[in-house]
Amino acid sequence: MNGLVLMARGWGFAVVLGLGACAAKISELPQAADISVSGIYLADATSARRVIGERLAELNYSDDSTPHVQLRCFNRDRTQVLTLIFHAGGERDSFSEFSLDLTQRIAGTPPTCVLRDVQAFVTGKQLSLGIDREDLTRRLGPDFIQENDVSGTVIKYTITDKNNSVFLRRYALPVYYGVYRFEHDKLVNVSFGFESP
C-alpha cells in the first residue's frame, strides 16, 4: 500500500496514512535507523513494485544456490548501484537489506535494471554517496563504532534490543544495522537493513 506522510511544521505532529505494518512512524524511528532508498522501503513489497516495476518478476525466489536473492539496479546515468537483498521466508518483492555503491567499486553480477527516474540514490535520512562523515553522524547520531583501515573509515550503527525497541518489534526482526564506508572523508558505500534471523 502506498504511504503518505503529512507533517505540520511548528505544530509538532506527524500523520502517517496508508503505510503497511512494517513502516515506522517518524516519531518511532530511531535516529540511527534509515529505512528507505529512493522510495523503496525495507520490508515493503508495494514500494519495491512501484519503483522497480516489472524487473521484479524476473527474480527467482526459489533458487537454493544462494543464501539470499539479490537485485542490482543502476541509477539513471549508471554511476551508482543499489543492491536489494531478499531473505528466504520473506514476502515476495519485500527486501530486508539495501546496499549503495559507486559503479566502479562493484564486482560480480552486473546490475540488471536501470531506474531511469533516479538521478542519484538518496536514503530516507537524506544520505547519499559523496557526503562527509560529519554530515552522516549529524543525521544518524553519535552512538556508533568507528573502525579505521588502510583504505578509509567504517562507521557502524546497530539496534539490537528487541525487547525495548518499538522499531525492531514493529518489523519483528532482532537486529538492524547500518555500515558506512568512507574514503578520503567521502561516503563510498552504504549498507543497512535487518540481519537474517
Side-chain angles (χ1 to χ4, degrees), residues 21-119:
C22 63
K25 292 180 185 175
I26 300 299
S27 62
E28 295 172 358
L29 190 62
Q31 184 176 6
D34 208 340
I35 60 170
S36 69
V37 174
S38 297
I40 305 169
Y41 287 82
L42 289 171
D44 182 33
T46 301
S47 66
R49 291 176 190 131
R50 184 180 62 248
V51 174
I52 300 168
E54 71 225 21
R55 299 303 290 198
L56 291 171
E58 299 171 14
L59 291 177
N60 180 3
Y61 289 101
S62 62
D63 182 3
D64 293 331
S65 66
T66 58
H68 306 298
V69 175
Q70 295 187 7
L71 174 67
R72 285 184 159 176
C73 297
F74 281 118
N75 64 330
R76 179 185 318 158
D77 63 5
R78 298 175 186 244
T79 58
Q80 299 176 356
V81 175
L82 169 62
T83 302
L84 302 103
I85 302 166
F86 172 84
H87 293 173
E91 178 187 358
R92 183 179 181 85
D93 303 337
S94 177
F95 298 95
S96 298
E97 298 178 71
F98 297 149
S99 179
L100 293 174
D101 277 295
L102 297 170
T103 300
Q104 69 262 26
R105 293 178 43 85
I106 66 163
T109 308
T112 56
C113 72
V114 178
L115 299 179
R116 299 194 190 291
D117 292 337
V118 178
Q119 177 63 38

Side-chain angles (χ1 to χ4, degrees), residues 132-190:
D132 62 31
R133 179 185 172 281
E134 183 180 324
D135 193 16
L136 179 120
T137 58
R138 184 174 51 251
R139 292 171 194 269
L140 299 182
D143 297 326
F144 59 85
I145 295 171
Q146 179 174 316
E147 298 173 358
N148 298 311
D149 59 29
V150 294
S151 63
T153 300
V154 175
I155 292 179
K156 297 179 180 181
Y157 290 88
T158 57
I159 301 171
T160 58
D161 188 0
K162 186 175 180 182
N163 293 329
N164 293 314
S165 172
V166 172
F167 173 69
L168 290 177
R169 286 195 313 269
R170 179 178 295 271
Y171 284 90
L173 289 164
V175 176
Y176 171 90
Y177 74 92
V179 178
Y180 306 88
R181 173 168 281 286
F182 292 84
E183 292 177 3
H184 308 290
D185 198 38
K186 297 297 178 192
L187 185 62
V188 296
N189 173 263
V190 172

